Amino acid sequence: MDVKNILGGLPNFSFPLQEKNSSEVCALTGGFAPLMPAVDLSLLKKKPPSDKKVIWRWLPFKNSARKDDLQLHHWIQVVNGVPPTGDYSFAKYNKSVDITRYTDEEYEKYLANPKWTKEETDQLFDLCERFNLRFIVIADRFPSSRTVEELKDRYYSVSRAMLIARNPSSTDVAMDPLVQEPYNVSQEMERKRAQSLILSQTKQQERRDEEVLAEAKRIAELRIMTKVDLESELDVASKACANVTERANPGETVSPSNTELPPIVVSSMTSTDNASTIASLRMLYVYSRTYALGQMVQSASSSAGLRTIKRVDQTLQELGVNLKPRVPTKTVCAEHLELRNEILTLLNLQKQLQNKEVEGSSFRDGSHCETTGTPKVRFFFSF
């Protein structure tokens, strides 16, 4: 059965044949345009015809970087039968170091060293010029047993001394690297020692270093958290100090009986301060001389006035104790804060004792006036 019979017949389309296309192409494509655009080869860019004739020849050449007359061969591109002229193309990459030279008079005047003879220094500079300051090779070829650091130190010290001697003006050589950064033997040996230790570490030591770094990171994060907590405590302490300062204003009259603090309150305040201080000390693993300890001292003395804090500092100075510990370890900081709290308790007790003495003296003066003054007049009432 034919497709036309199944579909019920198809309309008869007639496609005009394109010019320059055969009937076979139209039968294959159905007269439709191809999916990919056709490119006219005539529109493509063509290289213009060249009159050059390029060939490759095996020709000899000489290298100006070599001091001998060695002649080698290589393939060279020849254009129109004329070989290229000029120096070898890779000769420009041959760089040599300008080695400083000295005379016998200059050596005796500026370069004499009891650890080095003139013959050894001459051999060193000859090898430096020959091997372009490759000190590993120079140390291998050097006749006497010298380390690489010793050879470097001798070479750079001689070059630096000659540079300074030949330029009396310091401004001319001030920016030279030999003058700005002289060679340091001890630093170089320490650097190599540290590098060898790092390269010789085992896997276990590397894991231990990673654990130390992780612990340091944890301590840093903990210090940041502690800093935030201490700042919040300092805000509360500053507000409390402001209230105490306003109450302790000299313009106001405060009776001794109103200003005294009972011993129970003092002891409870001291114990509370000690507890908060010890808790803050437990949170810290690393102490700072100027920041963490100062904040803990302020938080511990927040309930006292400014005059009392000054008296505490004065008492510490009289006892010969530093206001801030020189070695702020955990134990030292705890003992220092405990001493401050004890001094604060002592000052409060002295203040209470002084108030009691004032009251006792006023009572004694009143009783004395009653006994030595005008006799009392007694009235008797009879009922």
Side-chain angles (χ1 to χ4, degrees):
M1 195 180 285
D2 196 3
V3 179
K4 290 183 180 182
N5 297 329
I6 296 173
L7 297 178
L10 293 175
N12 188 11
F13 295 99
S14 61
F15 300 99
L17 296 178
Q18 298 180 1
E19 296 180 357
K20 298 183 181 180
N21 290 336
S22 62
S23 60
E24 290 83 3
V25 175
C26 291
L28 292 174
T29 59
F32 295 101
L35 297 178
M36 297 297 293
V39 180
D40 190 1
L41 298 178
S42 62
L43 300 177
L44 295 177
K45 294 183 178 179
K46 295 182 179 180
K47 294 183 179 179
S50 177
D51 298 335
K52 295 181 180 179
K53 185 179 180 181
V54 180
I55 59 175
W56 290 85
R57 290 185 180 178
W58 182 256
L59 298 176
F61 73 95
K62 288 186 179 181
N63 188 358
S64 62
R66 301 183 63 92
K67 296 181 180 180
D68 52 5
D69 295 332
L70 180 64
Q71 187 175 4
L72 302 174
H73 293 73
H74 66 166
W75 287 100
I76 300 177
Q77 191 177 15
V78 179
V79 180
N80 296 329
V82 180
T85 59
D87 196 6
Y88 181 51
S89 59
F90 291 96
K92 59 183 178 181
Y93 299 110
N94 184 49
K95 303 295 182 181
S96 60
V97 182
D98 187 10
I99 303 298
T100 305
R101 288 297 182 176
Y102 49 85
T103 60
D104 295 340
E105 292 79 9
E106 289 176 339
Y107 184 88
E108 295 295 333
K109 188 176 181 180
Y110 304 109
L111 309 177
N113 191 340
K115 297 181 180 180
W116 285 79
T117 62
K118 188 176 183 303
E119 290 75 13
E120 289 180 337
T121 307
D122 294 340
Q123 291 175 356
L124 172 62
F125 274 73
D126 292 338
L127 292 175
C128 288
E129 185 177 7
R130 180 182 176 185
F131 297 109
N132 291 327
L133 298 182
R134 296 182 178 89
F135 285 98
I136 302 296
V137 182
I138 294 171
D140 182 67
R141 302 295 180 90
F142 200 72
S144 59
S145 59
R146 298 279 187 176
T147 62
V148 177
E149 289 77 16
E150 291 177 348
L151 296 176
K152 285 185 178 181
D153 182 46
R154 180 57 176 170
Y155 171 77
Y156 288 117
S157 62
V158 169
S159 300
R160 185 172 181 270
M162 292 305 303
L163 181 65
I164 296 175
R166 292 175 180 176
N167 297 277
S169 179
S170 59
T171 57
D172 297 338
V173 296
M175 301 303 295
D176 194 276
L178 290 174
V179 179
Q180 282 188 335
E181 299 177 0
Y183 182 76
N184 193 343
V185 183
S186 59
Q187 183 179 0
E188 181 69 13
M189 295 178 66
E190 182 66 21
R191 184 189 67 82
K192 288 187 176 181
R193 187 189 67 82
Q195 186 179 9
S196 63
L197 288 176
I198 292 174
L199 294 176
S200 62
Q201 280 185 344
T202 60
K203 295 293 184 181
Q204 183 179 3
Q205 292 175 346
E206 291 179 358
R207 287 194 298 268
R208 188 180 304 169
D209 292 342
E210 292 177 357
E211 292 176 359
V212 171
L213 293 176
E215 182 68 17
K217 183 179 179 180
R218 188 188 66 81
I219 291 173
E221 294 176 354
L222 183 61
R223 290 184 65 184
I224 293 174
M225 295 172 61
T226 307
K227 179 181 177 181
V228 174
D229 295 338
L230 288 176
E231 286 178 353
S232 61
E233 292 178 2
L234 279 178
D235 294 336
V236 177
S238 61
K239 294 179 181 178
C241 289
N243 295 330
V244 172
T245 306
E246 292 177 358
R247 293 176 183 177
N249 191 0
E252 298 179 357
T253 58
V254 182
S255 61
S257 60
N258 294 330
T259 57
E260 66 178 75
L261 296 174
I264 300 175
V265 176
V266 173
S267 61
S268 63
M269 179 182 65
T270 306
S271 62
T272 305
D273 293 338
N274 287 330
S276 62
T277 304
I278 292 172
S280 62
L281 284 174
R282 287 176 180 175
M283 292 176 63
L284 291 177
Y285 292 91
V286 180
Y287 295 91
S288 177
R289 294 187 180 183
T290 58
Y291 184 75
L293 181 61
Q295 287 187 345
M296 287 189 289
V297 169
Q298 291 179 5
S299 61
S301 306
S302 60
S303 59
L306 296 177
R307 294 182 180 179
T308 306
I309 295 174
K310 290 182 180 179
R311 290 183 62 186
V312 170
D313 295 339
Q314 185 178 1
T315 306
L316 287 174
Q317 292 177 356
E318 290 176 357
L319 294 175
V321 179
N322 295 323
L323 298 180
K324 293 181 180 179
R326 294 182 179 179
V327 185
T329 59
K330 184 176 181 179
T331 306
V332 173
C333 291
E335 295 293 333
H336 182 81
L337 294 175
E338 185 178 358
L339 177 61
R340 278 183 171 272
N341 290 326
E342 290 178 356
I343 294 174
L344 185 60
T345 305
L346 176 62
L347 294 177
N348 290 328
L349 292 176
Q350 288 178 354
K351 188 175 182 180
Q352 292 182 25
L353 179 61
Q354 185 179 2
N355 294 335
K356 294 296 182 181
E357 288 178 354
V358 171
E359 289 181 358
S361 62
S362 62
F363 180 75
R364 286 193 300 270
D365 293 340
S367 63
H368 179 73
C369 291
E370 289 180 357
T371 55
T372 59
T374 305
K376 295 182 180 179
V377 180
R378 295 183 180 181
F379 296 93
F380 297 93
F381 297 94
S382 60
F383 296 96

